[in-house]
Amino acid sequence: MRCITASFLTLSLFFVISIQLNAADEKKTPPPSKIGFRQLVAFKPAAVQQGDKRKVQLHSSYTLNGTHSVFFDQPGIKIKFAEPKPKAAPRRGRGSVGTPFAFDIEVPKNQPARIYECRVATDQAVSSVSHLLITPFPVIEEVEKKDNNTFDTAQVVTIPSTVCGICERTEDLDCYKFTGKKGQEITLQVYAQRVTEAIHTMQTSGVYLMDSILTLYGPQKQIVAQNDNFVKSDSLITYKLPADGEYVFEIRDARYVGSGKYAYCIEVSDTPFVYHTMPLAVQKGKTAEIKLQGHALKGQQKVSFSAASAKETGWAQRTFKTPDGQTNPVWTLISDDPQVTASGTNISTKTAFPLSFPVGVSAQLTEAEQTHYYSFKVKKDQYYYFKLMSSRIDLPLDCVMEVHDAKGKAHRIFVNGGATTEADDVLQTKDSEFYFKAPADGEYFVTVRDLHDRGGQRFAYHLSAQPSGPEFEVHGEYYYAQIAPGTNMLWFGKVKRLNGFTGPIEINIEGLPKGVTLEPVTLPAGVNDCGLILKAAKDAPINASLVKISGKAKIPGSDGKEREIVRYGRITCEIQSGGGGQARWPIKTSIIGVTKPLDLLEVTATPSEIVLKPGESAEIKVKIKRSEFYKDPVTLATSFMYFTSKFGEQLPPGVTLSKKSKTRLAGKTLEGTLVIEASKKATPVKRFPFAAMARVGITFSITTNYASNVIYLTVTDTEGKDKLVKK
């Protein structure tokens, strides 16, 4: 089970829709050898209209027979497995689009329009991530086996609509025709990367995501507009039609490559279209008048943004009502903190915009080569946290941030746990965030600019500034888990301690499926890694759920009093990269499913209690019990390695797996030995839980990580004394 890590939509929104098992699937058939997760590809069509009921196909590299649940990252969508009889889906090469499986889907009229993350659970496995666009417009599918690659053969579509197709081969291009009227303001918005970006098997012939290029032709077959990248690599065209007539838009990959996995959706509309609002945020409990920035607004730019009755805070895609219709969904924030708007004149220290903590600021780099300055007063040794949002809310700013004193000297800030004087990208985003520890009382300045000195209408951002202190983040490998009754599986947790925090951190998993428990684990001072040992009871029913990983700790406040905080884990999925390597992509969901028996039926380890002094070692005997169908080698380990890259660790610092271990179990060999060694500088721990991991290879890059019973490790000091603070 490959697992990977956290999110920024709260998992309280996550919802599971139960689906009845197809009776034909209940026939007792032997499970396949090498039971891996279901590798979802794309929906066809990749969009469904609000209020619509229809049949869709979801492609998968392994069978979806026995599907009992489908999960989206927000409640409302109803979906049911609709294959009349079992269907095989053998895994082919990584370029394969997979096998289509039918589902009946129903979307409520009030379902928010946006891209949804989707996971599937069957009685034998859980799935990777796919995506579905919920759109306000009628869906028109590309007509299969019909030439639509020229102006004259373009498929006819209407306004408004959402066109769904696939650029399935090299040099493929698709053309669509609509009738327009003079003065009509048209928007053509592509969703290609955004509906396929986290698909595990998108890697094809060295090319990953589709890089769409969109071209609009006028009635005389002349190019009147063209766009390559707008949101990420997805294209967008806005155009005011100069005359009545037939217009054609063409979509292709910018490199002229194609794949059966290059699904796209194009929303074609003449309704108000918004790039962003100004301000971008409103404080919870309040209402603000905001300005819409976009096109086809017909002078109706001011609307009300109310959070008067809001129950939750956070970023979300919201629509706004105008006299000419509802806008597209646009990112806005409801915040607990006061919100202000910078005028844009803060382009020097003399005109710096003053910040009072905590606060959120909405602003816009209106011109090229512009830098914004913000002033703030601090106390020596106090920490402050700055977080900028732009790229993560579909805006183009590639920001760079710095902190200066009144003399212009750049000061040290902390980005991704390391010290620097310039905050650029953080963890797969072009946005910046950092901590600043004040070296002295006084006034300082934080600056915001674009890395490439760009500016303009869409270069808006939101800057959050808060006092801070000891902190931590939760990361790790917890993308998915499938676990049979009576067995254990292994995830990996990792914390990043910030601003001098050394206290204990309790790791939890919320929303576990029925019959599944987590071995309690608390990370003491000096320990940042752990195994997350999942245990399914022998009588656990087949079921699944989306779960939420968190860390809980007590943090000293500025007033000297402790307060309890909870930080939720950042989730990434694994995707295949060139040469069979691994890459990571941020997603919203983690999934655990209780399944039928898997490749390994049992993993046991003895002893279950180990006490080591620094310099000592211990031997662990590990036995496995195979399914009668699984014959391939099994590798024993304690850490999660991919060649020389370590993605997960269980043992505390200074405790390692010895080369004396016998870790390969091939043929009829069912027993191995793990030898762990404590160095003279090993970190003391008391009954710290870990497990022997038995790795089953599914493909070149995918493994299922089975776990033994829990082993409790105690590492004493050199005199055999336990100096560890008890849990």
Side-chain angles (χ1 to χ4, degrees):
M1 161 205 62
R2 289 302 306 272
C3 36
I4 326 218
T5 175
S7 77
F8 83 86
L9 284 182
T10 60
L11 216 128
S12 60
L13 293 175
F14 291 153
F15 187 71
V16 57
I17 302 103
S18 294
I19 299 173
Q20 294 182 347
L21 286 170
N22 190 310
D25 267 349
E26 294 183 359
K27 296 178 180 179
K28 292 185 177 181
T29 56
S33 177
K34 296 188 176 182
I35 303 171
F37 67 91
R38 301 317 189 222
Q39 297 176 16
L40 301 185
V41 189
F43 277 96
K44 186 177 184 299
V48 178
Q49 185 182 13
Q50 293 166 317
D52 193 15
K53 295 181 181 179
R54 68 179 302 153
K55 195 174 293 291
V56 296
Q57 292 181 331
L58 179 56
H59 288 253
S60 174
S61 290
Y62 292 99
T63 184
L64 297 183
N65 294 338
T67 292
H68 60 77
S69 300
V70 177
F71 304 78
F72 291 97
D73 61 289
Q74 185 169 328
I77 303 171
K78 297 178 181 179
I79 187 168
K80 182 178 180 181
F81 190 61
E83 286 293 338
K85 59 183 181 180
K87 179 188 287 189
R91 185 181 186 275
R92 301 180 178 89
R94 67 175 62 178
S96 170
V97 72
T99 301
F101 288 84
F103 288 81
D104 291 323
I105 190 167
E106 181 179 351
V107 179
K109 289 184 178 180
N110 62 350
Q111 190 74 28
R114 65 171 177 86
I115 295 170
Y116 289 79
E117 194 171 285
C118 177
R119 310 289 288 266
V120 172
T122 78
D123 57 9
Q124 189 66 78
V126 295
S127 81
S128 60
V129 165
S130 190
H131 314 78
L132 182 69
L133 172 65
I134 301 302
T135 177
F137 309 128
V139 171
I140 298 176
E141 292 190 66
E142 178 187 11
V143 177
E144 293 183 4
K145 298 181 181 180
K146 185 175 180 181
D147 177 15
N148 68 334
N149 61 357
T150 68
F151 189 101
D152 294 326
T153 61
Q155 181 177 334
V156 176
V157 299
T158 54
I159 300 174
S161 63
T162 297
V163 180
C164 294
I166 301 173
C167 283
E168 61 263 332
R169 60 185 180 275
T170 300
E171 297 186 357
D172 186 23
L173 54 88
D174 295 333
C175 296
Y176 301 92
K177 182 186 300 184
F178 66 89
T179 300
K181 296 181 179 180
K182 181 179 179 179
Q184 196 173 16
E185 293 187 73
I186 299 295
T187 302
L188 306 170
Q189 178 173 208
V190 174
Y191 293 87
Q193 176 179 341
R194 287 176 286 174
V195 293
T196 59
E197 62 185 1
I199 290 176
H200 180 86
T201 59
M202 279 298 293
Q203 172 71 28
T204 305
S205 301
V207 177
Y208 187 59
L209 297 168
M210 181 176 178
D211 183 2
S212 67
I213 185 165
L214 189 64
T215 305
L216 179 63
Y217 296 87
Q220 306 304 316
K221 301 185 180 181
Q222 76 280 25
I223 295 177
V224 296
Q226 190 174 64
N227 180 256
D228 188 355
N229 302 323
F230 191 84
V231 176
K232 301 180 181 178
S233 65
D234 287 343
S235 307
L236 184 139
I237 286 177
T238 64
Y239 188 69
K240 189 172 183 178
L241 304 184
D244 294 352
E246 289 187 335
Y247 292 79
V248 168
F249 58 92
E250 169 197 288
I251 184 171
R252 62 173 173 84
D253 184 87
R255 302 150 297 186
Y256 286 99
V257 296
S259 165
K261 292 179 281 191
Y262 274 13
Y264 62 79
C265 310
I266 308 173
E267 289 186 334
V268 187
S269 66
D270 58 359
T271 50
F273 192 91
V274 178
Y275 303 134
H276 63 84
T277 66
M278 189 55 67
L280 291 157
V282 64
Q283 188 176 7
K284 183 179 178 181
K286 296 189 175 183
T287 298
E289 184 179 74
I290 62 174
K291 184 178 181 181
L292 306 178
Q293 296 200 17
H295 64 273
L297 298 170
K298 298 182 180 178
Q300 305 295 329
Q301 294 178 298
K302 293 184 178 180
V303 297
S304 177
F305 180 12
S306 177
S309 59
K311 296 181 180 180
E312 297 182 351
T313 59
W315 287 95
Q317 289 175 287
R318 300 176 174 89
T319 61
F320 294 92
K321 188 176 181 180
T322 77
D324 288 299
Q326 205 80 5
T327 71
N328 57 298
V330 61
W331 286 104
T332 51
L333 169 68
I334 295 177
S335 174
D336 287 319
D337 300 333
Q339 298 297 309
V340 295
T341 303
S343 63
T345 60
N346 52 321
I347 56 175
S348 69
T349 54
K350 293 181 180 180
T351 59
F353 189 93
L355 301 178
S356 57
F357 300 96
V359 70
V361 184
S362 296
Q364 186 173 338
L365 294 172
T366 56
E367 299 177 5
E369 300 184 355
Q370 194 174 73
T371 299
H372 284 179
Y373 289 77
Y374 297 91
S375 62
F376 59 99
K377 294 181 180 179
V378 300
K379 294 182 179 180
K380 183 179 179 180
D381 294 332
Q382 172 68 50
Y383 283 95
Y384 300 87
Y385 176 55
F386 295 86
K387 179 179 180 179
L388 188 141
M389 295 285 288
S390 184
S391 177
R392 285 173 284 192
I393 54 174
D394 295 341
L395 295 171
L397 177 64
D398 185 354
C399 72
V400 177
M401 300 173 67
E402 296 174 285
V403 171
H404 301 266
D405 59 25
K407 296 181 180 179
K409 178 185 175 182
H411 282 264
R412 187 175 63 169
I413 56 180
F414 298 92
V415 181
N416 293 329
T420 182
T421 57
E422 183 178 87
D424 194 355
D425 302 345
V426 292
L427 294 177
Q428 295 161 319
T429 175
K430 295 180 180 179
D431 291 336
S432 301
E433 53 189 87
F434 64 88
Y435 291 90
F436 171 63
K437 184 180 181 181
D441 292 355
E443 184 178 46
Y444 292 81
F445 301 87
V446 60
T447 62
V448 177
R449 63 180 174 85
D450 182 72
L451 178 65
H452 309 288
D453 290 326
R454 300 168 299 169
Q457 184 183 24
R458 294 182 61 232
F459 286 81
Y461 63 88
H462 182 271
L463 176 63
S464 174
Q466 299 176 328
S468 187
E471 261 290 356
F472 68 93
E473 297 172 353
V474 179
H475 301 264
E477 296 283 326
Y478 34 79
Y479 175 27
Y480 74 92
Q482 48 205 38
I483 177 171
T487 66
N488 295 355
M489 282 289 177
L490 190 59
W491 275 354
F492 293 85
K494 182 180 183 66
V495 299
K496 183 180 291 184
R497 298 177 183 269
L498 303 168
N499 307 339
F501 178 61
T502 59
I505 303 171
E506 179 184 329
I507 304 297
N508 298 296
I509 301 180
E510 301 173 12
L512 289 167
K514 293 178 182 178
V516 176
T517 57
L518 171 70
E519 172 66 23
V521 58
T522 296
L523 296 170
V527 180
N528 298 328
D529 299 272
C530 65
L532 303 177
I533 305 168
L534 300 165
K535 301 180 286 185
K538 291 182 179 180
D539 60 351
I542 290 177
N543 74 118
S545 64
L546 298 179
V547 300
K548 192 175 182 180
I549 295 85
S550 66
K552 182 171 65 175
K554 291 183 178 180
I555 301 291
S558 56
D559 57 359
K561 297 181 179 179
E562 282 191 332
R563 59 188 179 94
E564 188 174 84
I565 65 170
V566 175
R567 297 292 180 255
Y568 288 97
R570 178 177 181 273
I571 310 170
T572 63
C573 67
E574 66 174 27
I575 52 178
Q576 292 182 346
S577 61
Q582 291 295 324
R584 296 295 188 271
W585 198 269
I587 57 170
K588 303 170 187 174
T589 58
S590 297
I591 186 171
I592 297 175
V594 180
T595 69
K596 293 178 179 179
L598 300 165
D599 294 320
L600 297 187
L601 305 180
E602 189 176 65
V603 182
T604 57
T606 54
S608 59
E609 292 271 358
I610 296 174
V611 179
L612 293 177
K613 291 181 182 180
E616 291 184 341
S617 63
E619 188 176 272
I620 303 167
K621 294 293 185 181
V622 183
K623 297 181 180 180
I624 65 169
K625 183 178 180 181
R626 297 171 177 266
S627 158
E628 62 179 301
F629 306 103
Y630 184 70
K631 308 297 182 183
D632 287 0
V634 174
T635 302
L636 303 180
T638 55
S639 60
F640 182 17
M641 302 290 294
Y642 181 72
F643 290 97
T644 59
S645 298
K646 181 180 288 188
F647 289 107
E649 179 59 84
Q650 296 185 83
L651 301 176
V655 181
T656 56
L657 185 66
S658 170
K659 293 182 179 179
K660 298 176 183 178
S661 302
K662 296 179 180 179
T663 60
R664 180 176 169 82
L665 307 183
K668 295 183 179 181
T669 302
L670 300 176
E671 297 185 18
T673 304
L674 297 178
V675 179
I676 59 171
E677 300 174 331
S679 72
K680 293 183 178 180
K681 295 183 179 180
T683 300
V685 294
K686 183 176 182 179
R687 298 198 82 237
F688 190 73
F690 75 102
M693 181 172 68
R695 296 184 63 186
V696 168
I698 307 300
T699 69
F700 177 73
S701 60
I702 301 170
T703 62
T704 301
N705 296 337
Y706 295 82
S708 71
N709 52 285
V710 180
I711 306 167
Y712 297 99
L713 173 65
T714 297
V715 178
T716 67
D717 65 9
T718 53
E719 297 177 355
K721 296 179 180 179
D722 175 18
K723 292 185 176 181
L724 182 68
V725 177
K726 294 183 179 180
K727 293 193 284 186

